[in-house]
Amino acid sequence: MRMTRFVRGQLIVFTIVSVVAALIVALAYLRLPSLLFGVGRYTVTVELPEAGGLYSSANVTYRGTEVGKVTDVRLTDKGVEAVLSLHSDVPIPSDLDAQVHSQTAVGEQYVALLPRNGTSAPLRNGDTVPRDRSSVQPPINSLLDAANRGLQAIPRDNLKTVVDEGYTAFGGLGPDLARLFKGATQLASGARKDQDALTTLIDQSKPVLDSQSETSDDVQAWAAHLATITNQLQAKDNALAGVIDKGGPAADEVRALLDRLQPTLPLVLANLVSVGQVALAYQPSIEQLLVLLPQGVNALQGVLVANLGTKSPYKGAYLSFNTNINVPPVCNTGFLPPQQMRTANFEDAPDRPAGETYCRVPQDSMWDVRGARNYPCMTVPGKRAPTVNMCESNDQYVPLNDGLNWKGDPNATLSGQPVPQLPPGSAPAPDAAQGPAPPPVAAAQYDPATGKYIGPDGKVYTQSDLAQSAPKEQTWQSMLTPPAGS
């Protein structure tokens, strides 16, 4: 039989299509290269304590998705090894657990890979999952036997009562239970999406739980104290209710008070900040004052009742009126000289001299022992100075002289320091030894014949006792009588 060219062409096309279809079925559906030569796959061995019904060609899942097959299950000296053939295109973390589960109650076991750390390195060909990272579910027969024994242990009448009460409790709650189950399913789905974070949280919760276990005594004590507080609140319920009821109006009154004090309150608080800083610097002195004040009051009370319980008609403190004049002498060193002192009859109020005036003798002198020169510096322990500026500076106290042993003007200085003393860092004062310029001498010419003269204000005055006609001898009466014409 001779075939035409057209028939031969059809046969060739049919043969090509058949070969291509067979290749597609072998490569895409049967996956012969991967089955025969392992192309696109890698092998991982899982050590198991027992087979647990696992069989060859069983599925291998990762996060619920099939990622390979079980190619072999073999016995070893330590248990069972399951060889897994996994897809190379699915990266699986090496820090994982391998668990054998059943899809149904009658079998169909599979291997579930559960990652512990999703950021760990992926599995490689030839890796082994150790036995402490694998587990096999209990046999279904043992579970059914245990369930059967449990059901037999329950009395039928009580079981009927439980079923009836369960119906009474949950009867008509179908929609609510459906919403509950739906919410639980959504919660489980969300937890499944964050499985790595939840796994890390569970793994790292052990230190927290251990700390709670170690501090159980403290927790119990805290709970006991909390129970005491709760009992006190329960006992004082009326008072607490009164505080709650009156707390609002009281807060409104406080708010109104703050509104009224708003113009001046910031100034007061700002000033209190300065006072607080001073009090903080002088805290040791304040503390000592508070410690010694009760003792001083005690001593004063003892003085006031010195002769209490005696036959003396005079009750009270013993007073001594012995006067010690000029013992010790008055300290004039460091104060204005006599020619600059103001008399008591001046009624004006000029500005005080710049600087500080105090007894400026040596600190170990017997005069004015508790004077300003021996003030302790609160911010610089061990230093004594008359002013805060000198305490805060690097300057040291320098006396003017050695006190009463100085011969001459008691305010003259050997060290060239000004009187009054200027604060550290001030501009130098003029030479203090020269002193201020003396006031000008008032002088005016007068007429010897009449005793008349012109004063500084331009008026004419008469001093009759200066005239030539004035009597030469004066009596005490004439000295008290004003002259005529004055």
Side-chain angles (χ1 to χ4, degrees), residues 17 41 44 95 120 122 146 159 216 244 258 308 356 360 396 399:
V17 171
R41 290 176 174 271
V44 175
D95 188 4
S120 60
L159 181 60
S216 59
I244 296 175
L258 294 178
L308 185 64
E356 302 292 338
R360 295 169 65 182
Q396 300 292 332

Side-chain angles (χ1 to χ4, degrees), residues 256-269:
L257 177 61
L258 294 178
D259 293 338
R260 292 195 300 270
L261 296 177
Q262 187 174 4
T264 57
L265 185 60
L267 298 177
V268 175
L269 295 178

Side-chain angles (χ1 to χ4, degrees), residues 175-241:
D176 297 332
L177 292 176
R179 288 194 298 269
L180 177 62
F181 293 146
K182 184 178 180 181
T185 303
Q186 294 177 353
L187 180 62
S189 300
R192 184 176 183 180
K193 294 179 181 179
D194 299 328
Q195 185 176 4
D196 295 339
L198 291 175
T199 303
T200 304
L201 176 62
I202 294 173
D203 293 339
Q204 297 180 357
S205 62
K206 185 178 183 299
V208 179
L209 297 178
D210 291 341
S211 63
Q212 297 297 319
S213 177
E214 294 174 357
T215 58
S216 59
D217 296 338
D218 297 335
V219 174
Q220 292 178 359
W222 176 81
H225 296 328
L226 182 61
T228 303
I229 295 174
T230 305
N231 294 333
Q232 291 293 332
L233 292 177
Q234 183 180 4
K236 304 295 182 181
D237 181 69
N238 295 332
L240 181 61

Side-chain angles (χ1 to χ4, degrees), residues 128-453:
T128 300
V129 180
R131 182 172 177 177
D132 57 353
R133 291 293 186 92
S134 63
S135 62
V136 178
Q137 66 177 1
I140 188 65
N141 295 333
S142 301
L143 180 61
L144 294 177
D145 292 341
N148 188 22
R149 289 194 300 272
L151 292 176
Q152 291 178 356
I154 299 176
R156 294 182 178 273
D157 296 338
N158 296 341
L159 181 60
K160 182 177 182 301
T161 303
V162 170
V163 173
D164 294 339
E165 294 296 332
Y167 174 79
T168 303
F170 298 102
L173 297 179
D176 297 332
L177 292 176
R179 288 194 298 269
L180 177 62
F181 293 146
K182 184 178 180 181
T185 303
Q186 294 177 353
L187 180 62
S189 300
R192 184 176 183 180
K193 294 179 181 179
D194 299 328
Q195 185 176 4
D196 295 339
L198 291 175
T199 303
T200 304
L201 176 62
I202 294 173
D203 293 339
Q204 297 180 357
S205 62
K206 185 178 183 299
V208 179
L209 297 178
D210 291 341
S211 63
Q212 297 297 319
S213 177
E214 294 174 357
T215 58
S216 59
D217 296 338
D218 297 335
V219 174
Q220 292 178 359
W222 176 81
H225 296 328
L226 182 61
T228 303
I229 295 174
T230 305
N231 294 333
Q232 291 293 332
L233 292 177
Q234 183 180 4
K236 304 295 182 181
D237 181 69
N238 295 332
L240 181 61
V243 171
I244 296 175
D245 294 338
K246 298 178 181 179
D252 294 338
E253 293 294 335
V254 173
R255 188 181 300 108
L257 177 61
L258 294 178
D259 293 338
R260 292 195 300 270
L261 296 177
Q262 187 174 4
T264 57
L265 185 60
L267 298 177
V268 175
L269 295 178
N271 294 332
L272 289 178
V273 171
S274 302
V275 175
Q277 293 175 351
V278 174
L280 182 61
Y282 286 87
Q283 178 185 356
S285 299
I286 297 175
E287 183 177 355
Q288 185 178 16
L289 177 63
L290 296 177
V291 171
L292 297 179
L293 181 60
Q295 299 180 7
V297 174
N298 187 18
L300 180 61
Q301 291 176 349
V303 170
L304 294 178
V305 292
N307 53 359
L308 185 64
T310 64
K311 297 180 179 181
S312 175
Y314 304 102
K315 305 298 182 182
Y318 290 113
L319 300 179
S320 175
F321 293 96
N322 296 330
T323 56
N324 296 326
I325 300 176
N326 208 31
V327 178
V330 177
C331 178
N332 293 324
T333 301
F335 297 92
L336 293 176
Q339 61 268 24
Q340 298 183 23
M341 294 182 181
R342 293 169 51 83
T343 59
N345 57 348
F346 289 169
E347 297 180 357
D348 57 343
D351 295 336
R352 65 185 299 272
E356 302 292 338
T357 56
Y358 57 93
C359 181
R360 295 169 65 182
V361 296
Q363 290 179 330
D364 57 353
S365 176
M366 62 177 293
W367 289 278
D368 196 17
V369 177
R370 296 181 178 86
R373 70 184 188 280
N374 286 325
Y375 287 166
C377 297
M378 292 292 100
T379 57
V380 184
K383 183 178 180 181
R384 292 180 293 166
T387 62
V388 177
N389 293 332
M390 187 175 292
C391 283
E392 299 295 338
S393 67
N394 295 327
D395 297 346
Q396 300 292 332
Y397 172 76
V398 178
L400 287 179
N401 51 50
D402 58 352
L404 296 183
N405 295 330
W406 175 252
K407 305 302 181 183
D409 183 2
N411 297 283
T413 65
L414 290 174
S415 59
Q417 302 180 64
V419 178
Q421 185 182 26
L422 298 176
S426 302
D431 189 1
Q434 298 179 359
V441 178
Q445 296 181 356
Y446 70 98
D447 186 0
T450 61
K452 294 182 179 181
Y453 64 93

